[in-house]
C-alpha cells in the first residue's frame, strides 16, 4: 500500500502509547501515531512488542469504521499508514467512561460480595478521572459537574455528561452486538470523549483497541483474547509475549469480520401504479441509508393478480430474505393479497390523499382472518420497520438503528439546552 504524505506540524502531545501531531495543511485535524509497545499497570511493565502498533492500528481503524458507518460521531477521519490515523483535533475530556455487561476485574474488588459473571441489565456505567498520580480515582457524576471542565470553549455541564453517558451505552451496545456475530462476549469497555476544536461537538476520541475492552470468546473467561492475558502473565518470557501477540492477532483478524453483513436481505416495493413512484422512491432512499437494497416493481392485485403472484414467486424463489412493501392508493388490494399468499413480511404503505385518505386507510387495516400485514403511513417509517426486521439478523443494520436513536436523543437534548439558554 502506498500511503499519502502529510506534513507534520508540532507534536501536540505524547503519552504512553501514542503521539499526536498537528497537520500543517489541515487545520482541525491531527495525526495519531501508535508506539510499538504495550503497557500495563501504568507502564510499570513496559515491553516492546514488535508489530503491536500495526495490530492496534487495525483494531482501532476497524472499530472506528464500524462506529462511524453506524452513525456514531467520532474523531476518526481515516487511516494514514500501518500505524497511524488522521483524526479531528480534540481537547480531551479527562474521564474514562467504563461500561460493563458482566462483573469482573476491579468491579469485584470495589463491590465485595458480587460474584464474577454477574450480568448488568441495564449496563453498569462508571467513570474514572484520568489522574495517573492518584491511580485514576472513580468519580461520581457530581464530582465531574463540580470540576467544571472547560474544553475548546465548551463547559462540561449536566447536558454534556448526559450525552457522554448515553453515547457510551450506545457504543457498547453496537460493539456488543457486533462481537456477538463472532461468538464473543463483550464483557466491558472503557472509552474517552473529546471536544472537537472546530465544531465544539462531543465526540468519541482517542482509540478503541485491545486495551479498551475485555472479550470472552463464547462467553468463556478462560479463552479471553484481550490485554488481561498480558496483565496476568507471571513472567514476561519471549514465549509468553508470543502468546499475547497471537491473541492480539486473533482479535485483529476477527475485528475485520465485524464490518461484514451477516445476512443479506432486500426490500421489494410493489406499487399499484407509476403515479405512486415518488412515494416509493422515498422508501428506497431510506432503505439505502440502512444499507438495504430496495427494488421497485409495478403490479396491481386488482387488475393483474396473476402478475402480482408471479412477481411474488420471483422473489420467493432465490432464497434471499425479503420484506415486501405494498404501495396502493384508493383500495389497497395489493398488500392483503400479498400477505395472504407469502410467508414473508408485508408492510402496507398506502399513499393517502387528503380527500379520501380517512376512508381509504381501512382497506389496509381491516383484514380477513389469517393475514399479518402491518400498515405504516410514512414511507421513511415503513423502511425503518423493514430495517428493524433485518436488524434482528444483520448487526450492521441494527447498529445504524441504534446510533440513529442515540443521535435523535442528543439532538433533542441540545435543542432543549439552546432554548433554555435563549430564554435566560
Ligand atoms: N483526536 C485527538 N486529538 C487530540 N488529542 C488526542 C486525540 N486522541 C487522543 N489524544 C490524546 O493523545 C495523548 C496521547 O495518548 P496516549 O494514550 O498515549 O496517552 P496515555 O499515556 O495513555 O495517557 P492518558 O492517560 O491520557 O491516556 C492522550 O492525552 C490522548 O488523550
Ligand atoms: C492498518 O489499518 C488499515 C485499515 O484497517 C489496514 O488497511 C492496514 O493494513 C493496517 N496495517 C497493518 C500493518 O495491519
Ligand atoms: C449514567 O446514567 C445512568 C442512567 O441515567 C445513571 O444511573 C448513572 O449513574 C450514570 N452514570 C454515570 C457514571 O454518570
Ligand atoms: C458460533 O457458535 C455457533 C454454535 O456454537 C457455531 O455454529 C458458529 O459457527 C459459531 N460462529 C463463529 C463465527 O464462530
Ligand atoms: C487488541 O487485541 C488483539 C488480540 O488480542 C491484539 O492483536 C491487538 O494488538 C490488541 N490491540 C492493542 C492495542 O493491544
Ligand atoms: Mg491513553
Amino acid at each position: 500500500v502506498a500511503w499519502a504524505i502529510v506534513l507534520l506540524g508540532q507534536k501536540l502531545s505524547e503519552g504512553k502509547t501514542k503521539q499526536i501531531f498537528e497537520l500543517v495543511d489541515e487545520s482541525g485535524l491531527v495525526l495519531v501515531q501508535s508506539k510499538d509497545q504495550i503497557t500495563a499497570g501504568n507502564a510499570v511493565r513496559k515491553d516492546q512488542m514488535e508489530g503491536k502498533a500495526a495490530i492496534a492500528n487495525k483494531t482501532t481503524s476497524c472499530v472506528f469504521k464500524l462506529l462511524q458507518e453506524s452513525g456514531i460521531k467520532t474523531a476518526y477521519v481515516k487511516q494514514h499508514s500501518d500505524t497511524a490515523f488522521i483524526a479531528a483535533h480534540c481537547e480531551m475530556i479527562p474521564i474514562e467512561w467504563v461500561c460493563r455487561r458482566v462483573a469482573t476485574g476491579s468491579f469485584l474488588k470495589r463491590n465485595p460480595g458480587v460474584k464474577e459473571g454477574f450480568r448488568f441489565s441495564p449496563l453498569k456505567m462508571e467513570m474514572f478521572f484520568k489522574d495517573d498520580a492518584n491511580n485514576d480515582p472513580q468519580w461520581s457524576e457530581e464530582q465531574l459537574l463540580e470540576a467544571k471542565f472547560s474544553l475548546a470553549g465548551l463547559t462540561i455541564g449536566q447536558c454534556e455528561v448526559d450525552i457522554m453517558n448515553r453515547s457510551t451505552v450506545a457504543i457498547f451496545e453496537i460493539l456488543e452486538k457486533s462481537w456477538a456475530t463472532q461468538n464473543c462476549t463483550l464483557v466491558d469497555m472503557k472509552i474517552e470523549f473529546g471536544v472537537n476544536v472546530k465544531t465544539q461537538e462531543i465526540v468519541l476520541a482517542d482509540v478503541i483497541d485491545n486495551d479498551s475492552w475485555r472479550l470472552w470468546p463464547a462467553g468463556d473467561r478462560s479463552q479471553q483474547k484481550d490485554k488481561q492475558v498480558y496483565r496476568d502473565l507471571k513472567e514476561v518470557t519471549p514465549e509468553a509475549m508470543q502468546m499475547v501477540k497471537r491473541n492480539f492477532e486473533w482479535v485483529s483478524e476477527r475485528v475485520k469480520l465485524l464490518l461484514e453483513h451477516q445476512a443479506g436481505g432486500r426490500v421489494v416495493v410493489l406499487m399499484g401504479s407509476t403515479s405512486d413512484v415518488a412515494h416509493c422512491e422515498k422508501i428506497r432512499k431510506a432503505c439505502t441509508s440502512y444499507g438495504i437494497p430496495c427494488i421497485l416493481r409495478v403490479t396491481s392485485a386488482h387488475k393483474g393478480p396473476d402478475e402480482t403472484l408471479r412477481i411474488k414467486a420471483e422473489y420467493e424463489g432465490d432464497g434471499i430474505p425479503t420484506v415486501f412493501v405494498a404501495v396502493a392508493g384508493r383500495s389497497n388490494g395489493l398488500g392483503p393479497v400479498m400477505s395472504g399468499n407469502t410467508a414473508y413480511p408485508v408492510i402496507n404503505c398506502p399513499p393517502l390523499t387528503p380527500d379520501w385518505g380517512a376512508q381509504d386507510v381501512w382497506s389496509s387495516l381491516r383484514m380477513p382472518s389469517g393475514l399479518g400485514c402491518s400498515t405504516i403511513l410514512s414511507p421513511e417509517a415503513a423502511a425503518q420497520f423493514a430495517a428493524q426486521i433485518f436488524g434482528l439478523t444483520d448487526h450492521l443494520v441494527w447498529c445504524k438503528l441504534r446510533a440513529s436513536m442515540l443521535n435523535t436523543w442528543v439532538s433533542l437534548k441540545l435543542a432543549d439546552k439552546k432554548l433554555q439558554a435563549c430564554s435566560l
Side-chain angles (χ1 to χ4, degrees):
V1 196
W3 298 104
I5 292 171
V6 294
L7 280 183
L8 295 190
Q10 246 186 312
K11 179 153 80 181
L12 295 173
S13 61
E14 168 155 10
K16 295 181 287 283
T17 61
K18 60 193 105 69
Q19 300 167 314
I20 311 288
F21 295 96
E22 244 173 6
L23 297 186
V24 172
D25 300 321
E26 307 246 31
S27 82
L29 297 184
V30 294
L31 185 81
V32 182
Q33 174 72 55
S34 294
K35 302 204 283 193
D36 248 338
Q37 65 185 7
I38 184 167
T39 64
N42 266 336
V44 172
R45 193 189 266 188
K46 204 185 235 185
D47 307 282
Q48 293 299 122
M49 191 200 288
E50 202 199 332
K52 190 222 167 224
I55 297 163
N57 137 59
K58 201 152 62 180
T59 307
T60 291
S61 300
C62 289
V63 169
F64 273 76
K65 200 153 170 253
L66 172 70
L67 292 169
Q68 198 92 297
E69 282 173 9
S70 301
I72 297 287
K73 294 205 166 81
T74 79
Y76 182 85
V77 176
K78 61 172 193 261
Q79 187 69 33
H80 172 66
S81 73
D82 282 353
T83 57
F85 64 89
I86 292 173
H89 183 193
C90 295
E91 286 193 16
M92 298 296 296
I93 301 162
I95 294 288
E96 258 180 20
W97 288 85
V98 174
C99 188
R100 301 174 185 276
R101 176 64 82 194
V102 180
T104 188
S106 73
F107 184 89
L108 302 177
K109 289 196 195 109
R110 284 180 285 112
N111 298 270
V114 179
K115 285 197 191 66
E116 178 163 73
F118 182 96
R119 267 185 88 79
F120 302 108
S121 302
L123 292 160
K124 172 65 76 184
M125 292 289 305
E126 294 174 323
M127 67 169 106
F128 297 86
F129 176 49
K130 287 173 63 80
D131 179 9
D132 277 354
N134 290 300
N135 264 319
D136 298 349
Q138 185 173 14
W139 266 18
S140 64
E141 200 174 289
E142 292 73 20
Q143 283 174 291
L144 175 52
L145 290 171
E146 290 289 358
K148 296 191 171 64
F149 289 122
S150 182
L151 299 149
L154 180 74
T155 303
I156 307 303
Q158 188 68 57
C159 174
E160 290 68 32
V161 173
D162 290 344
I163 287 173
M164 287 189 278
N165 188 329
R166 281 285 178 138
S167 301
T168 305
V169 171
I171 290 162
F172 187 95
E173 287 180 9
I174 284 172
L175 296 178
E176 176 182 53
K177 193 61 111 186
S178 302
W179 275 113
T181 67
Q182 304 305 312
N183 284 346
C184 264
T185 300
L186 183 61
V187 171
D188 49 32
M189 167 195 92
K190 62 172 187 208
I191 56 175
E192 294 171 32
F193 292 89
V195 181
N196 182 321
V197 297
K198 276 228 157 140
T199 64
Q200 288 201 333
E201 271 181 314
I202 292 188
V203 295
L204 175 67
D206 204 61
V207 299
I208 296 184
D209 57 22
N210 271 14
D211 305 6
S212 310
W213 58 36
R214 284 193 181 85
L215 276 175
W216 293 352
D220 179 358
R221 187 189 195 291
S222 67
Q223 293 182 51
Q224 62 193 359
K225 298 286 184 192
D226 50 61
K227 197 174 126 171
Q228 195 61 34
V229 174
Y230 176 76
R231 291 194 197 102
D232 292 347
L233 284 183
K234 289 194 178 59
E235 206 183 333
V236 182
T237 60
E239 295 74 33
M241 287 309 285
Q242 272 312 108
M243 185 190 75
V244 174
K245 193 173 163 204
R246 268 202 308 280
N247 271 339
F248 278 5
E249 274 156 7
W250 184 94
V251 172
S252 72
E253 279 313 304
R254 260 161 201 71
V255 84
K256 280 186 281 187
L257 302 177
L258 303 185
L259 291 162
E260 287 172 14
H261 283 279
Q262 288 300 293
R266 76 183 155 212
V267 168
V268 174
V269 179
L270 305 176
M271 67 189 101
S273 143
T274 46
S275 63
D276 300 328
V277 77
H279 187 81
C280 297
E281 284 296 350
K282 290 181 190 165
I283 299 173
R284 172 146 71 184
K285 190 170 169 222
C287 284
T288 304
S289 75
Y290 293 111
I292 302 167
C294 177
I295 298 154
L296 307 189
R297 300 295 296 263
V298 181
T299 184
S300 163
H302 289 127
K303 299 175 220 172
D306 53 334
E307 251 320 270
T308 302
L309 294 178
R310 195 194 59 72
I311 291 174
K312 173 190 78 88
E314 209 179 293
Y315 293 108
E316 284 175 333
D318 63 9
I320 297 175
T322 301
V323 171
F324 289 106
V325 179
V327 175
R330 303 194 187 180
S331 173
N332 173 21
L334 195 52
V337 164
M338 286 294 294
S339 184
N341 291 276
T342 183
Y344 282 139
V346 176
I347 302 169
N348 297 303
C349 187
L352 298 181
T353 52
D355 51 354
W356 284 94
Q359 287 75 34
D360 290 349
V361 73
W362 288 105
S363 63
S364 296
L365 296 177
R366 178 89 177 137
M367 290 297 125
S369 64
L371 268 61
C373 49
S374 66
T375 295
I376 298 175
L377 300 184
S378 138
E380 290 78 16
Q384 183 177 343
F385 188 60
Q388 285 164 339
I389 293 172
F390 290 122
L392 292 170
T393 48
D394 186 334
H395 72 287
L396 294 183
V397 174
W398 189 92
C399 293
K400 288 200 169 82
L401 291 161
R402 183 66 187 83
S404 160
M405 220 164 73
L406 170 71
N407 291 337
T408 303
W409 189 91
V410 170
S411 300
L412 283 167
K413 191 91 188 164
L414 291 174
D416 183 54
K417 183 187 167 188
K418 200 168 159 194
L419 194 61
Q420 294 298 305
C422 289
S423 53
L424 281 181

